[in-house]
Amino acid sequence: MTIFPPRLSEIFSVVGLIISVYSLFLFAPAVVGFIYLELIWKKFVLIAFLFFFFGLLIFFLFKRTDKSNKTSAELQPKDGLLLVISVWILLSLISSIPFCFFIEGVNPVRAFFESVSGLTTTGATIFTGLDNMPKSILIWRAVLQWIGGMGILVLTIAILPLLGVGGMQVFRAESSGPMKDKKFTPRIAETAKALWTIYIFLTITCILCYWLAGMSLFDSFAHAFTTVSIGGLSTHDASIGFFDNQIIEAVAICFMLLAGMNFTLHFAAFRSYSIRVYLQNIEARMFLILIFLACFLIVCFLTTTPQFNGGNFLEIVRKTVFNVVSIATTTGYATTDYNLWPTFAFSLMILLSCFTTCSGSTGGGVKLIRVIIMLKQAKRELLRTVHPHAIIPVKIGNQVIATRVILAVLAFMFFYLLTLLITFLLLAATGLSAGSAISASLACLNNLGPALFELGPTSNYGSLNNNQLLILSAAMLLGRLELLTIFVFFSASFWKS
């Protein structure tokens, strides 16, 4: 029995459980450090045990013993929002500890930026000299992205029913896309388990493919974690370009495309043993068409540019396809410095990162389904000017989109543009150049990672000061939690009884 209100105690107990579950992932870098004879493996073990027991302590202190009130079993919308936001901030702080204490010269703000970048699968980094960095730190960065890709809360949702706590409100606050109430299994816990089953299957397959393509076993694990999660952090300063291997790049392209699609489609494809579900889905079709068109346009543009005229055509195609897919899916890998490409090319790429990935994927940005809904709504308004009394529903396939969903999409886009503008102005106020400020704002809000100019693919965010890093950390969290979750949390109505 606790002195706190039942619902607040429920939230605290779930937070404790999540901390305990999350601490188990700290054993991954400990094992790697032990294998590679790195002394810091013991520190990882110590931190893991400390937070495991700390989480259990919170869990048992606040765990409800009175189950008579069944109405409090399902978390309310406010509870889900509070839980999601508090967990993401807490886990980011916990994740920053290895960076802060195990790497010389890294202050708490810079460590927090790196951990937020990992958990939000942004892939923006302050580190250089990755080729000589301890393997345990490198794998920890990869593990962070892998956890953040599907979301630690989605994993925990599978466990919540054991506590008598429903997880639908957490799922709504955590998941991406405008139609979050849609489940593809009868129970939300089963949905979470199915998502993680697909996620783990893709990860294992990606590890094997990278290893067979020529990567070392360590690099295969690290890059599979950051590919399937669409995170983009690498174990080398040159990113995937370090390997200079066409087969490795082909593997990366395939899995980036798979991770950029809605995971419910993968579930349906596995269950039906057919790829027809991808072709029947308008968002998946548009996703592939947009990337193909972008690759085609940029290849045509590069081959007609004097800078590249006379170059190896197949090499141009190879570099274009890989980097376009990487940026469009918000992964952030690079095989070349596309900063040196014509302005049209890298501008189109950064624009694609805003909206190309599908809802229900591990990618960032506003999600393609929202753009499709907005385009259909715009078409409806044009038709209404000609036929003002016509009843014209907005439909995706055979499904009529509710007015509530359309209004939510419009609200989301407003908050997206507002957040982008505020982030840009704040960065500009700190003295960052206009080009770097707008590209960094887009890169972090879309959870892309590499920006342009001095923050481009061959550089990093290490040159930024603490204020700039805090601004971008907030932008990454806003992008990962899809904006409305954060804005609702800070609204006056949220805190009214």
Side-chain angles (χ1 to χ4, degrees):
M1 198 73 181
T2 70
I3 61 174
F4 293 93
R7 281 168 52 194
L8 194 58
S9 297
E10 201 73 76
I11 292 172
F12 284 150
S13 67
V14 174
V15 168
L17 174 69
I18 291 172
I19 290 174
S20 290
V21 172
Y22 185 73
S23 67
L24 299 177
F25 289 99
L26 282 158
F27 286 103
V31 170
V32 171
F34 178 78
I35 293 172
Y36 286 93
L37 305 177
E38 297 170 351
L39 296 179
I40 60 175
W41 73 268
K42 297 179 181 178
K43 298 178 182 178
F44 274 107
V45 171
L46 177 61
I47 294 174
F49 276 117
L50 283 175
F51 281 105
F52 179 77
F53 289 112
F54 175 70
L56 285 182
L57 178 63
I58 294 176
F59 172 69
F60 285 113
L61 279 177
F62 293 99
K63 186 176 184 294
R64 284 190 307 119
T65 56
D66 179 17
K67 299 291 184 179
S68 59
N69 187 6
K70 300 296 183 183
T71 59
S72 64
E74 174 68 41
L75 292 176
Q76 300 302 307
K78 289 183 179 182
D79 306 330
L81 291 173
L82 181 60
L83 177 62
V84 166
I85 292 171
S86 59
V87 163
W88 274 90
I89 293 174
L90 275 173
L91 296 189
S92 296
L93 289 170
I94 293 171
S95 304
S96 69
I97 292 175
F99 301 130
C100 190
F101 291 102
F102 302 167
I103 301 179
E104 188 177 352
V106 177
N107 64 38
V109 172
R110 301 175 80 79
F112 181 72
F113 174 86
E114 190 74 18
S115 66
V116 170
S117 174
L119 278 176
T120 58
T121 71
T122 304
T125 184
I126 59 167
F127 293 138
T128 56
L130 298 177
D131 300 81
N132 299 315
M133 190 170 283
K135 303 287 188 185
S136 52
I137 294 293
L138 293 175
I139 202 65
W140 178 234
R141 295 165 79 235
V143 167
L144 286 180
Q145 294 208 309
W146 189 75
I147 299 169
M150 187 55 64
I152 184 66
L153 291 174
V154 177
L155 173 62
T156 310
I157 285 168
I159 307 171
L160 290 180
L162 301 178
L163 314 177
V165 180
M168 189 62 202
Q169 301 303 336
V170 180
F171 186 78
R172 288 172 182 159
E174 168 88 350
S175 58
S176 65
M179 295 174 281
K180 301 180 182 185
D181 294 342
K182 188 177 180 181
K183 298 180 285 185
F184 59 95
T185 61
R187 297 182 179 182
I188 194 65
E190 294 300 320
T191 299
K193 291 174 185 176
L195 287 172
W196 269 94
T197 299
I198 297 166
Y199 193 57
I200 291 170
F201 174 79
L202 287 177
T203 303
I204 293 172
T205 307
C206 189
I207 291 170
L208 291 173
C209 289
Y210 272 141
W211 182 61
L212 292 173
M215 278 191 184
S216 68
L217 192 59
F218 173 80
D219 278 336
S220 298
F221 269 89
H223 286 89
F225 288 167
T226 60
T227 300
V228 175
S229 65
I230 302 190
L233 288 176
S234 179
T235 56
H236 304 281
D237 287 323
S239 189
I240 293 291
F242 170 85
F243 302 99
D244 193 21
N245 184 311
Q246 297 178 19
I247 301 177
I248 288 175
E249 291 169 19
V251 170
I253 289 170
C254 290
F255 282 94
M256 286 189 290
L257 290 174
L258 286 172
M261 293 183 183
N262 194 318
F263 271 60
T264 62
L265 294 180
H266 301 325
F267 178 83
F270 287 147
R271 190 166 56 181
S272 63
Y273 301 102
S274 172
I275 63 170
R276 186 176 297 176
V277 290
Y278 298 108
L279 303 177
Q280 292 173 341
N281 183 271
I282 185 174
E283 191 181 24
R285 292 201 309 271
M286 290 301 298
F287 170 73
L288 295 174
I289 290 170
L290 277 173
I291 291 178
F292 174 80
L293 288 176
C295 290
F296 177 77
L297 286 173
I298 292 177
V299 166
C300 291
F301 197 82
L302 291 180
T303 52
T304 57
T305 301
Q307 179 184 352
F308 297 91
N309 194 15
N312 187 324
F313 177 74
L314 292 179
E315 189 67 16
I316 292 174
V317 171
R318 172 188 168 188
K319 292 186 181 300
T320 298
V321 171
F322 181 88
N323 289 280
V324 167
V325 170
S326 176
I327 300 304
T329 58
T330 71
T331 308
Y333 288 142
T335 57
T336 188
D337 186 4
Y338 46 79
N339 259 330
L340 303 177
W341 291 3
T343 305
F344 168 80
F346 62 68
S347 298
L348 177 58
M349 289 166 62
I350 204 82
L351 178 64
L352 287 173
S353 73
C354 298
F355 60 83
T356 305
T357 57
C358 301
S359 60
S361 72
T362 56
V366 302
K367 303 300 183 295
L368 188 54
I369 190 65
R370 287 193 175 97
V371 177
I372 294 171
I373 291 174
M374 286 184 65
L375 289 173
K376 287 182 175 289
Q377 171 64 12
K379 179 183 177 182
R380 178 167 74 168
E381 292 305 316
L382 289 174
L383 291 173
R384 276 178 170 174
T385 59
V386 180
H387 308 285
H389 301 295
I391 299 175
I392 308 168
V394 173
K395 300 178 70 175
I396 301 291
N398 295 322
Q399 180 182 3
V400 176
I401 305 301
T403 302
R404 179 183 62 84
V405 173
I406 296 172
L407 293 176
V409 169
L410 295 174
F412 178 91
M413 294 306 300
F414 169 77
F415 283 116
Y416 175 83
L417 294 174
L418 178 64
T419 306
L420 179 63
L421 177 62
I422 292 173
T423 306
F424 165 70
L425 291 175
L426 288 174
L427 289 174
T430 63
L432 197 62
S433 66
S436 295
I438 188 63
S439 65
S441 300
L442 284 167
C444 289
L445 188 59
N446 294 330
N447 301 131
L448 166 61
L452 299 173
F453 310 111
E454 61 260 42
L455 303 176
T458 58
S459 185
N460 58 39
Y461 290 73
S463 60
L464 301 186
N465 60 42
N466 288 345
N467 291 332
Q468 293 165 338
L469 292 177
L470 285 174
I471 292 168
L472 293 176
S473 296
M476 288 187 283
L477 285 170
L478 282 164
R480 178 61 179 84
L481 295 177
E482 295 230 317
L483 299 171
L484 291 179
T485 302
I486 302 289
F487 281 106
V488 168
F489 180 77
F490 286 106
S491 66
S493 59
F494 178 85
W495 295 103
K496 289 181 180 179
S497 57

